[in-house]
Amino acid sequence: MTIEETYPLHRCIFQNDVVRLNEILKDEEIKKKINEKDNHGNTPIHLALMLDRRNCILALLKNGCDCVSRNNYGWNPSEEATMLGDIDLVEKLSYQKYKSYFDFFGSKEGIINKWNDILPEFHIKYRLKFKSKIPILEKLGIKDIEHFYKKGNNFRMDFGFSGVDFRGIPRLMKGSLTVLLFFREDGKSTCYLLDNKAKLYTELFPNPSVKIQEAYCNTRMNVKTMYKFYNDNSQLKIKKKSNSGFGFNKSKKRTICINGNKKYSTDIYKFKDSIFFIRKRDNEHTIGDYKSHIKTTITDLDKSRNYTTTITDEIKKTLLNESDYKLKNITNEYIKANGVSENDSDSDNDDSDIESDANSESVIENHQLDSLESNNNFRNMVDENIYSITEVNSEISHKIVQMIICGSDEKGNLIEKDDILYIRQLLPSFFTSYLKANYLPEDQQKKLEEIYTSIVGKYDLSNTSDYNAKHKNPKNVYNVTQSISENYYKKASLSNGNTSKNFKNIPIKREPITEEEYFDSKNMGSLHLGRVMEISEEKKLIENVAKFWLTKENTFPLNCYHIKPIIDTICLILFDQINIKPNDKDYDREIYYNIINYIYNEVDGSKRFPLKFEIPIYASTVFQSKLLEVETENIPDDIFKIPDNYSKDSSVGFRFIK
């Protein structure tokens, strides 16, 4: 093997050649590729973990590989290691992951220096509380008063509890803990945990005690089920509550006291309609050097959620060759011919005021395009996976083609003529590009050509009347496909997975894959190796997302942008984006920036500050945070020092009692 070959590090791992791997990592140019994703979206560490190449994993860790970023399926290296159950690897990967956090935040280009420019020092005191209509939960009074201090590169957080007791109904154990975090000018960081009642402290980073490491690793051992959480905020609505009404009590609910006696009037904003996804991964074990056998109800694991970018915008970026603008003119003619108004909308009139001019244009444009609506499961799947469908060699593109050949979707619903025309309407050259690429075996290629020409025909796109005539006579594809080949495609599953939620009787597939097949440049679909697993995803619409009390415009010394670095930090961690480069394509990051900018614009974030917010947990329980005090100057230096009468003790830690 020569280092000029594509993905040299991946190839060493595939061959389990750790000697060669260590040798080529000495080459600085090759080492720059240590976090490169292959054509399946896997970095070298992801591939090594999938195939359980332990020595290769250790070599990559030694050379500082990325232990944070996700692969196309949404899993980061720590999660892949957790499912392996190797405590030594979990410990090493976890340390490397947390080191990445500290290195990122402490770097000159990191968040802290940017934060210092807009808010060099401050202190906030706030109350966290769970409010419930359930008597036993209300009686528990789960609440805490917390402090957060910042002065330059020094941080301090004070908590009024020391752990959680899970015996019976979970409850917070009272205590007094402090976290001190220091970022030095040389980029190095240190973090300490203080127990103020016992007057003890321990180091959390860079030299955590053995006890803390063991406690963390034990939480990652014998894990049978792993969860991943996602949000789709493309339908999010933000409404400012009306000030209509009268009475002292109504006014009182909108007035919040800060620093004991300073009263601020607020406007209340309600956030509604967010889609929440819970992905579950379980029943997993290794099967060696084979393609992973993933039993799943999810149509496409790596692109299963809607994103905020409109379909129209994404179509304009398509890799396919034909122009969608010619088709758009045809669909406009079709709309007029069928009496559809361009201004028709199913949106609630009450929400019309939250749409920006740009968004309104986008809505109209999409409506004009969708002369065929996405009103069934098959078309919804097309919409949800539009990013993958624009690449004709993606896994979802192959799956859609097989559904069309079969004549029905994974749930047995017949595919209509209009379903095929819907794909053509969105991506005019999808079928012609797919057929031209010749991905299918000869018999399947011929069948797809016959299906396509029998339904779509070879009419000219400029012939509007021909297009409309075909739209007005929808017939299902099932009869067409059956006449071409009786009982052609009779598989229980159209991919690695299966649509049934009962996986018990499904035989495990062991599909070998050669090095040539894995690194074939024509094989570009997402691919997981070495495991049997079950993956399911639950989708929930949260009607009432949150409620925020924001100060009136320009009446408070701070605004939303002063705390944006905190929000960015949390989201970078939650989305595993610490090591994502600015030019890297990352859907979750794009979604976050789009939605946070939308929210800030809707609430006039440059002029307001949140004094209180509530997030529903259950129908009868809400999580509430309320600001009590705020200071933006004269923060004493002494609070960032460990008191002289404190002793170092490795027993200090956050306790979980079960």
Side-chain angles (χ1 to χ4, degrees), residues 105-124:
F105 297 128
S107 68
K108 291 183 178 180
E109 298 79 22
I111 285 177
I112 292 176
N113 286 333
K114 296 177 182 178
W115 201 358
N116 286 337
D117 292 336
I118 60 173
L119 192 62
E121 60 180 284
F122 74 99
H123 160 235
I124 57 173

Side-chain angles (χ1 to χ4, degrees), residues 239-251:
K239 284 189 175 182
K240 181 180 176 180
K241 288 191 68 176
S242 171
N243 287 323
S244 60
F246 58 91
F248 173 75
N249 190 50
K250 186 176 186 65
S251 176

Side-chain angles (χ1 to χ4, degrees), residues 438-449:
N438 202 26
Y439 293 123
L440 297 168
E442 184 177 352
D443 58 335
Q444 294 186 27
Q445 183 86 1
K446 183 177 180 181
K447 290 176 177 61
L448 181 60
E449 289 177 2

Side-chain angles (χ1 to χ4, degrees), residues 315-359:
I315 290 172
K316 290 177 182 177
K317 302 174 188 175
T318 180
L319 300 179
L320 307 183
N321 299 317
E322 293 184 29
S323 170
D324 61 302
Y325 298 105
K326 188 182 291 185
L327 183 68
K328 182 178 177 181
N329 292 330
I330 295 172
T331 56
N332 288 341
E333 291 297 325
Y334 176 74
I335 290 170
K336 293 177 182 178
N338 289 274
V340 181
S341 169
E342 292 181 4
N343 295 320
D344 287 347
S345 174
D346 57 2
S347 63
D348 191 340
N349 290 334
D350 292 340
D351 300 331
S352 60
D353 62 329
I354 70 167
E355 298 289 350
S356 67
D357 292 340
N359 286 341

Side-chain angles (χ1 to χ4, degrees), residues 532-574:
V532 171
M533 68 179 80
E534 294 179 12
I535 297 180
S536 61
E537 194 168 88
E538 184 178 356
K539 177 179 177 180
K540 293 183 178 181
L541 172 65
I542 304 176
E543 294 183 358
N544 297 309
V545 180
K547 187 189 297 185
F548 282 80
W549 283 253
L550 290 112
T551 55
K552 298 286 187 179
E553 293 185 4
N554 300 320
T555 60
F556 199 73
L558 299 177
N559 62 55
C560 291
Y561 285 95
H562 285 110
I563 58 170
K564 188 173 181 293
I566 297 178
I567 301 171
D568 289 341
T569 298
I570 294 171
C571 290
L572 284 168
I573 293 173
L574 291 178

